[in-house]
């Protein structure tokens, strides 16, 4: 009896130790977030273990787990017709509202899901639900792109998939097939999908063969740069779930197919040390001491290494490619971009990526709506559904859809 009790107490304390992490008091529903984070960490550790045992790449295992629990077949209902098809060889899931309003042309949103360029799917329950809801609420045609993921694909394949599918859709004949108004099309995405949405917006304005352009870009807690891993938000939220600083740096390295050993150097900004003169002009473009308002800078100090590790940029020039890091694009390109909505969360390493991009776009003369959530954490929107049901996730989703509905 006493032994059983001792075992129970030990298990309970170990569980509590595993689950408990200190969280900011103002984050939405901290206990729920703690449980979500512990589940995530548990599944990730398991996937790394499977990789150590030689049974498969950890990301493939993780996607398999997500597949088993989260994937939905293309299921139409009386409101929305859902079809899986391909656009120029790239898989897409299309959601068409069945409502007919006197043959009026519909609005359309091209949606790009998040997941560190490695996880997630247009078929995932949360993304399927989001697109279905937008199609229904806005009477709009949703195109959710099923781009290839790490480890099957690496930069620039993800962005190329997204670009091909988008360019295919933006043809007059295709739009008319879907009864879409060519003047009312937006691109949107969350996290790594926000990165791809920002990058594809830049590519489209540079492509002279594309005559139908986007009206809006809506970026939800986007990842936009891999130059400075010590912005105030990276410093503040380095250990805040669910996107830890180190995990974000690893996602970058996997996306760019870089040596995983570079991660430590990148975390201290050794890859962009000031002795590398070729980086000077880029440094000025994401100089957060100039771009962020004081309320976000707080008392954080810039971290610039004097001597670092030039090998990282030598091996991974894509770190400085605007197709990977849209925040560093030339002002001449930013000036051509569509109007933007950028959503940021206080408890997110990527908060300042979004805020700096908003500022650079504004400085280039683009109209920007910055929608910031003081109680938000990275990824909150995809946890709006049961069983997680995050209040802040629902709030974000509703405000984002309302903004699109009013402005598209
Ligand atoms: C950063 O670079 C300096 C100078 O080369 C080196 O001494 C230091 O160990 C590096 N730090 C990391 C974490 O790579
Ligand atoms: C960054 O901005 C600050 C404030 O405007 C300025 O003092 C500093 O020289 C800038 N640094 C770079 C590298 O541009």
């Amino acid at each position: 009896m006493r032994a059983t009790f001792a075992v129970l107490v030990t298990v309970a304390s170990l569980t509590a130790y595993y689950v408990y992490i200190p969280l900011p008091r103002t984050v939405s529903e901290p206990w729920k977030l703690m449980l979500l984070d512990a589940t995530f960490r548990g599944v990730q550790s398991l996937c790394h273990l499977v990789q150590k045992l030689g049974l498969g790449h950890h990301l493939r295992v993780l996607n398999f787990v997500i597949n088993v629990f989260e994937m939905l077949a293309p299921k139409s209902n009386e409101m929305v017709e859902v079809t899986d098809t391909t656009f120029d060889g790239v898989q897409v899931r299309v959601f068409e509202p069945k409502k007919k309003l006197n043959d009026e042309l519909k609005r359309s949103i091209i949606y790009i899901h998040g997941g560190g360029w490695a996880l997630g799917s247009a078929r995932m329950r949360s993304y399927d639900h989001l697109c279905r809801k937008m199609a229904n609420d806005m009477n709009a045609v949703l195109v959710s792109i099923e781009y290839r993921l790490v480890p099957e694909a690496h930069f620039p394949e993800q962005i190329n998939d997204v670009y091909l599918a988008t360019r295919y859709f933006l043809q007059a004949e295709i739009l008319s097939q879907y009864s879409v108004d060519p003047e009312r099309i937006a691109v949107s995405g969350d996290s790594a999908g926000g990165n791809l949405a920002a990058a594809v917006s830049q590519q489209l304005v540079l492509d002279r063969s594309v005559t139908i352009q986007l009206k809006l870009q809506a970026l939800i807690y986007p990842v936009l740069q891999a130059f400075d891993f010590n912005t105030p938000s990276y410093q503040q939220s380095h250990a805040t779930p669910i996107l830890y600083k180190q995990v974000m740096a690893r996602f970058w390295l996997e996306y760019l197919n870089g040596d995983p050993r570079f991660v430590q150097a990148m975390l201290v900004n050794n890859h962009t040390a000031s002795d590398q003169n070729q980086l000077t002009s880029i440094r000025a473009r994401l100089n957060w001491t100039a771009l962020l308002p004081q309320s976000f800078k707080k008392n954080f100090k810039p971290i610039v290494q004097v001597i670092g590790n030039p090998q990282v940029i030598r091996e991974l020039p894509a770190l400085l490619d605007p197709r990977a890091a849209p925040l560093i694009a030339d002002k001449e390109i930013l000036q051509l971009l569509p109007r933007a909505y950028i959503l940021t969360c206080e408890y997110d390493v990527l908060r300042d990526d979004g805020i700096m991009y908003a500022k650079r776009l504004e400085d280039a003369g683009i109209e920007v709506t910055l929608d910031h959530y003081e109680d938000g954490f990275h990824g909150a929107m995809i946890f709006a559904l049961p069983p997680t049901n995050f209040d802040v996730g629902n709030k974000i989703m509703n405000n984002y859809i309302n903004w699109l509905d009013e402005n598209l």
Side-chain angles (χ1 to χ4, degrees):
M1 190 61 200
R2 215 180 266 172
T4 316
F5 183 69
V7 168
L8 277 178
V9 169
T10 312
V11 170
S13 4
L14 283 176
T15 309
Y17 177 76
Y18 188 75
V19 171
Y20 181 78
I21 42 159
L23 282 179
R25 271 209 312 276
T26 46
V27 76
S28 174
E29 303 174 272
W31 272 103
K32 215 192 264 181
L33 184 55
M34 232 178 255
L35 286 173
L36 177 68
D37 177 63
T39 312
F40 249 54
R41 280 185 290 132
V43 173
Q44 275 170 356
S45 307
L46 215 61
C47 293
H48 279 283
L49 182 69
V50 173
Q51 177 167 326
K52 281 220 179 76
L53 296 173
L55 299 174
H57 193 284
H58 69 103
L59 290 171
R60 233 179 242 138
V61 182
L62 191 50
N63 259 327
F64 176 79
V65 175
I66 296 174
N67 264 311
V68 169
F69 292 103
E70 286 282 316
M71 293 303 195
L72 295 182
K75 205 161 142 232
S76 303
N77 59 21
E78 63 284 1
M79 307 300 287
V80 182
E81 170 100 35
V82 184
T83 330
D84 284 347
T85 176
T86 58
F87 282 0
D88 208 0
V90 178
Q91 291 183 38
V92 294
R93 176 167 284 192
V94 184
F95 302 77
E96 295 171 83
K98 289 183 178 166
K99 236 183 303 187
K100 279 254 179 323
L101 299 172
N102 0 308
D103 288 333
E104 218 179 304
L105 289 178
K106 296 187 183 76
R107 299 175 290 176
S108 179
I109 298 147
I110 298 158
Y111 196 83
I112 309 164
H113 72 80
W117 307 280
L119 301 168
S121 164
R123 289 170 290 148
M124 224 167 107
R125 192 171 61 104
S126 45
Y127 290 114
D128 184 275
H129 170 85
L130 173 69
C131 291
R132 193 179 288 272
K133 180 170 166 55
M134 282 201 276
N136 196 32
D137 292 3
M138 293 179 61
N139 194 37
V141 175
L142 263 287
V143 174
S144 188
I145 304 180
E146 191 75 322
Y147 55 97
R148 285 167 300 155
L149 302 172
V150 173
E152 272 73 35
H154 298 277
F155 175 84
E157 286 172 302
Q158 279 82 340
I159 177 69
N160 285 347
D161 282 359
V162 167
Y163 189 58
L164 285 178
T166 306
R167 203 174 56 174
Y168 175 89
F169 185 61
L170 291 178
Q171 301 175 87
E173 323 74 274
I174 306 299
L175 295 176
S176 89
Q177 226 171 293
Y178 286 98
S179 307
V180 166
D181 184 343
E183 315 241 296
R184 299 176 82 187
I185 305 169
V187 69
S188 186
D190 60 302
S191 194
N195 165 281
L196 295 167
V200 82
S201 301
Q202 294 184 2
Q203 279 194 282
L204 285 170
V205 295
L206 293 175
D207 187 339
R208 284 172 195 279
S209 73
V210 178
T211 51
I212 297 170
Q213 289 282 345
L214 300 169
K215 181 175 181 190
L216 301 173
Q217 51 177 330
L219 316 176
I220 299 164
Y221 33 74
V223 44
L224 296 168
Q225 58 93 23
F227 193 96
D228 185 354
F229 285 95
N230 292 281
T231 59
S233 60
Y234 263 111
Q235 296 188 42
Q236 172 179 283
S237 301
H238 67 100
T240 306
I242 54 170
L243 185 65
Y244 293 79
K245 170 171 164 169
Q246 193 166 116
V247 173
M248 189 60 240
R250 287 217 191 100
F251 274 135
W252 269 112
L253 279 171
E254 303 246 22
Y255 180 36
L256 305 180
N257 209 7
D259 188 334
R261 280 173 308 180
F262 287 157
V263 77
Q264 295 308 330
M266 285 164 61
L267 292 178
V268 299
N269 287 347
N270 258 3
H271 62 311
T272 50
S274 54
D275 62 339
Q276 297 194 62
N277 293 325
Q278 84 280 17
L279 304 180
T280 308
S281 69
I282 294 179
R283 189 183 306 286
R285 292 177 192 182
L286 31 72
N287 178 0
W288 61 257
T289 56
L291 294 170
L292 294 182
Q294 186 54 42
S295 56
F296 292 115
K297 286 194 269 192
K298 298 180 182 151
N299 292 322
F300 294 108
K301 297 276 172 292
I303 297 198
V304 183
Q305 300 293 351
V306 180
I307 302 167
N309 180 357
Q311 197 196 348
V312 183
I313 297 276
R314 238 187 349 254
E315 283 192 25
L316 297 175
L319 284 165
L320 308 177
D321 187 330
R323 287 176 305 161
L327 179 54
I328 62 182
D330 293 341
K331 189 172 181 181
E332 287 67 41
I333 294 167
L334 302 186
Q335 281 167 344
L336 305 172
L337 290 175
R339 187 175 165 198
Y341 168 89
I342 300 179
L343 189 148
T344 54
C345 289
E346 180 60 21
Y347 301 109
D348 180 1
V349 290
L350 302 176
R351 181 196 71 184
D352 297 344
D353 282 27
I355 296 173
M356 288 194 283
Y357 198 45
K359 180 74 168 75
R360 285 205 68 214
L361 287 173
E362 266 169 12
D363 290 348
I366 305 300
E367 195 182 331
V368 182
T369 302
L370 183 63
D371 193 9
H372 180 67
Y373 291 82
E374 280 298 333
D375 57 347
F377 61 92
H378 188 81
M381 191 176 72
I382 66 162
F383 300 108
L385 289 185
T388 39
N389 267 329
F390 269 98
D391 288 346
V392 68
N394 275 300
K395 193 166 63 176
I396 284 175
M397 187 186 291
N398 291 331
N399 291 347
Y400 154 71
I401 296 177
N402 282 343
W403 188 87
L404 277 174
D405 195 25
E406 278 165 23
N407 295 286
L408 185 57

